[in-house]
Amino acid sequence: MSDDFNMSMRKFLKQVGVTSQQAIEEAMREHDTAGKAYRVKAVVTIEELDLTHEVTGEIKGQS
């Protein structure tokens, strides 16, 4: 893969990771999350390539 591809991919994934973490942390601060666990789903789509990729997981609330 080309350097341009790799750099644009890394830049996008870094933006997804950083902004998602910020949004999740803000939501957690606004609610009582102690002792709770939350199902999480992230979806990445590229419509022109007919790509839909889902990642699911769990985030535990703050103790």
Side-chain angles (χ1 to χ4, degrees):
M1 297 288 171
S2 72
D3 288 343
D4 287 342
F5 170 78
N6 285 329
M7 290 302 293
S8 64
M9 173 78 77
R10 289 178 182 179
K11 182 178 178 179
F12 173 75
L13 292 174
K14 183 177 180 178
Q15 182 179 4
V16 169
V18 169
T19 60
S20 297
Q21 182 175 350
Q22 291 169 342
I24 292 167
E25 287 175 348
E26 182 178 338
M28 295 290 234
R29 281 192 297 271
E30 293 174 359
H31 295 85
D32 177 17
T33 62
K36 298 177 184 174
Y38 299 89
R39 291 186 306 260
V40 182
K41 176 171 71 171
V43 180
V44 175
T45 60
I46 304 176
E47 293 178 6
E48 297 87 352
L49 300 178
D50 195 30
L51 169 72
T52 301
H53 176 72
E54 292 187 10
V55 178
T56 59
E58 181 179 274
I59 296 177
K60 295 181 180 179
Q62 300 176 5
S63 21

